[in-house]
Amino acid sequence: MIWALIGLALGVLAGVFIPYTYPDNYSLYISVAILAAIDSIFGGIVAMLEDRYENRIFVAGFFSNALLAGLLSYLGDRLGIPFYYAPIIVFGGRLFQNFSAIRHHLMEK
Amino acid sequence: MKKKVRRNTLVVMTFFSGMILALQIRGYNQVGEFASGKSIVEMKREIAMEKSENRNLAALIASKKSELVLLSEKIKEGNLSQVLTQELETSLFTSGELPAKGPGIKITLRDSQRDLKEGQNPNDLVIHDQDILNILNDLKVSGCEAIGINGERINEFSDIRCNGPTITINQRTYGEPFFITAIGNPDILEGAVLSLDSNGYLLQSTYGIHVEVSKEQELQLAPIRSLRKNYYLKGAES
């Protein structure tokens, strides 16, 4: 958990000082991808606490979830249907589930 | 060992998410403005306008610089105020505010003496404001430098209007005959009134109006009587 927070802090710092920005049009897709990434991290932490963590599954899930979420919202934009609701609801819901699982583990110890 | 790999992976993943998060927040704050298509078009037009104004200003700077060079040369040659006075006088008498003289032609116009033919309109035999305007235009095309009609100096804002059997010039009314005084090259000006394609020739040949031209070596022109006042016109930086 502490390492996760350290990584997050370092990442935020790097993001603030990096001299690169992407086009504004991609803002929505990146937002959804960020949600997916955060969900993956929470899922990874839960798996660690439950001792069923697999490094490869975690890394693959992190990137594929983020990519799928971004692509889905892009597709939705092209088709005129707000597909990005799907990642928001699924990942957002699971985020709270994972969070409650972490809470239970930490408090029941 | 396995635990270390786990930890490192977690740090790398969270690092990635944090970085994207910060980038997203930064990007959103930077371009957080709503821009409609209309405002973009307006902005583009504004930019184009500013650019063209910049070009104009650059041209102005160039012209002012050359003017400056010219004036400094004149200062070297002699007195600046003398040069400026001369310039003022030149512009004053070309605008008709000072008496002027020079070689040119004198045109005499009289109404037609012909008898009316059957079906002919008596208006065809009378000199109209249009006829005089056409002749003046021919004169201007031929390099005429100053014009007077019956002692009225004509400048670029002189009015020449029909007023029944008479013609009003500079808000004063004159009857025939009309004497047009034009300063310029006498031979060329004569051609402008009498050559085959001119309005003067047309008047003479078709309507029988009396057009007489005499070349003069020295003609006098009075200054314009009423000086124009500018109520709306203001100097502008060109």
Side-chain angles (χ1 to χ4, degrees):
Chain A
M1 274 298 281
I2 292 161
W3 285 107
L5 287 177
I6 288 170
L8 197 67
L10 283 175
V12 168
L13 273 179
V16 168
F17 290 110
I18 215 165
Y20 162 83
T21 48
Y22 49 82
D24 200 38
N25 310 17
Y26 301 156
S27 173
L28 177 73
Y29 319 139
I30 304 275
S31 299
V32 179
I34 286 172
L35 187 65
I38 292 172
D39 169 67
S40 293
I41 288 164
F42 272 58
I45 292 170
V46 170
M48 274 181 200
L49 294 172
E50 291 178 354
D51 251 345
R52 53 175 178 83
Y53 177 82
E54 278 279 353
N55 204 31
R56 270 190 300 179
I57 292 178
F58 175 55
V59 175
F62 179 88
F63 286 111
S64 60
N65 274 356
L67 210 63
L68 182 63
L71 282 177
L72 206 58
S73 31
Y74 172 76
L75 192 67
D77 257 8
R78 294 291 106 188
L79 297 178
I81 302 164
F83 275 176
Y84 59 87
Y85 283 144
I88 286 175
I89 290 165
V90 172
F91 294 127
R94 219 166 58 189
L95 201 61
F96 285 103
Q97 277 176 19
N98 285 338
F99 183 63
S100 81
I102 293 170
R103 216 158 22 105
H104 279 278
H105 264 281
L106 292 179
M107 289 185 167
E108 279 167 13
K109 232 186 248 176
Chain B
M1 180 62 200
K2 208 178 174 187
K3 221 173 177 181
K4 213 171 182 184
V5 172
R6 242 193 240 175
R7 196 197 65 202
N8 287 347
T9 318
L10 190 67
V11 171
V12 169
M13 295 297 112
T14 48
F15 176 82
F16 263 120
S17 342
M19 196 170 76
I20 301 172
L21 197 69
L23 270 178
Q24 169 81 347
I25 289 166
R26 208 177 66 175
Y28 186 73
N29 283 349
Q30 268 179 357
V31 206
E33 256 176 57
F34 175 73
S36 65
K38 203 177 152 193
S39 73
I40 289 171
V41 168
E42 262 171 30
M43 192 70 82
K44 273 184 185 166
R45 209 174 46 206
E46 224 168 89
I47 290 171
M49 259 169 63
E50 293 289 338
K51 273 186 181 166
S52 80
E53 205 183 323
N54 278 351
R55 275 197 296 276
N56 288 345
L57 286 176
L60 182 71
I61 289 171
S63 79
K64 289 282 172 198
K65 268 184 185 164
S66 64
E67 213 172 286
L68 196 68
V69 169
L70 217 78
L71 281 177
S72 57
E73 270 173 17
K74 279 182 181 172
I75 289 172
K76 272 181 208 158
E77 279 168 22
N79 197 345
L80 180 66
S81 71
Q82 198 185 327
V83 172
L84 289 178
T85 317
Q86 214 173 0
E87 233 169 67
L88 179 68
E89 246 169 51
T90 312
S91 52
L92 274 180
F93 83 78
T94 42
S95 69
E97 289 173 30
L98 288 179
K101 62 178 184 180
I105 57 166
K106 204 168 175 183
I107 309 165
T108 310
L109 298 171
R110 284 180 211 277
D111 287 348
S112 180
Q113 302 295 317
R114 273 187 202 166
D115 290 331
L116 270 182
K117 289 174 193 156
E118 211 178 297
Q120 206 173 22
N121 189 333
N123 269 331
D124 290 347
L125 306 184
V126 182
I127 300 166
H128 296 278
D129 52 334
Q130 279 305 322
D131 303 331
I132 289 187
L133 282 169
N134 285 335
I135 288 175
L136 290 194
N137 221 14
D138 282 347
L139 290 172
K140 286 173 188 172
V141 168
S142 307
C144 173
E145 287 165 8
I147 302 171
I149 303 177
N150 288 20
E152 283 293 338
R153 183 76 171 268
I154 304 296
N155 71 4
E156 68 271 36
F157 286 103
S158 292
D159 51 316
I160 294 170
R161 285 180 290 144
C162 178
N163 198 355
T166 56
I167 291 176
T168 301
I169 300 163
N170 283 352
Q171 282 148 28
R172 271 170 238 266
T173 304
Y174 296 91
E176 68 103 33
F178 298 101
F179 303 104
I180 301 177
T181 314
I183 289 178
N185 183 330
D187 294 328
I188 296 178
L189 292 182
E190 186 189 31
V193 183
L194 294 183
S195 67
L196 280 178
D197 217 14
S198 68
N199 284 295
Y201 178 81
L202 186 78
L203 284 177
Q204 205 172 17
S205 59
T206 312
Y207 302 108
I209 282 166
H210 179 84
V211 180
E212 190 189 311
V213 174
S214 65
K215 292 192 257 184
E216 308 274 345
Q217 274 316 301
E218 176 139 331
L219 285 166
Q220 299 278 342
L221 278 180
I224 197 153
R225 277 189 223 204
S226 54
L227 289 183
R228 207 156 55 90
K229 280 191 188 117
N230 294 330
Y231 296 105
Y232 301 99
L233 192 69
K234 295 214 167 56
E237 316 248 322
S238 61

